[in-house]
Amino acid sequence: QVQLVESGGGLVQAGGSLRLSCAGAGSISSINAMGWYRQAPGKERELVATITSGGSTNYADSVKGRFTISRDNAKNTVYLQMNSLKPENTAVYYCNANVSRIFSTYDVWGQGTQVTVSS
């Protein structure tokens, strides 16, 4: 019932910027933490950044100071502002949301958006 729709990926030169967006759609009751993950060719999916419903953030060491995660709870949307992009940041980026049920939670994933950084 809940879907995450990602946008904002694309091709950018090294040093450039992109902003990814991930909007929740469908019957949104309660979204807890949201986050961004990425998977580069030949590598495992890894955490990039997370943000709680209250706005507390956490970042992978490799993106600290360059990436900023934020959210707009009224729009059920999470963003990832990516500055000073490097070729190593090339990956498929996936949005994640943790959604509450009565006695449990479940995770919803976006479809993924390709970010390619050229040197």
Side-chain angles (χ1 to χ4, degrees):
Q1 186 64 29
V2 177
Q3 301 90 38
L4 300 177
V5 181
E6 303 180 27
S7 62
L11 175 64
V12 65
Q13 294 186 48
S17 298
L18 286 172
R19 190 179 79 154
L20 306 183
S21 298
C22 173
S27 298
I28 305 297
S29 57
S30 181
I31 297 180
N32 306 307
M34 302 185 76
W36 290 95
Y37 298 73
R38 67 187 177 194
Q39 187 166 21
K43 300 187 68 176
E44 298 288 317
R45 185 175 299 187
E46 64 177 353
L47 184 149
V48 177
T50 60
I51 184 167
T52 69
S53 60
S56 297
T57 59
N58 184 56
Y59 297 92
D61 288 341
S62 62
V63 306
K64 288 180 179 177
R66 298 188 297 117
F67 290 12
T68 302
I69 188 171
S70 61
R71 66 190 288 170
D72 185 338
N73 290 335
K75 297 181 179 180
N76 293 315
T77 300
V78 63
Y79 306 93
L80 185 68
Q81 178 67 46
M82 304 184 294
N83 298 326
S84 301
L85 282 162
K86 305 174 180 179
E88 311 92 90
N89 301 143
T90 295
V92 178
Y93 284 71
Y94 297 91
C95 177
N96 172 269
N98 185 256
V99 181
S100 292
R101 291 176 171 172
I102 297 177
F103 296 112
S104 64
T105 62
Y106 66 97
D107 287 295
V108 180
W109 291 90
Q111 80 279 10
T113 184
Q114 177 70 48
V115 172
T116 303
V117 184
S118 62
S119 60

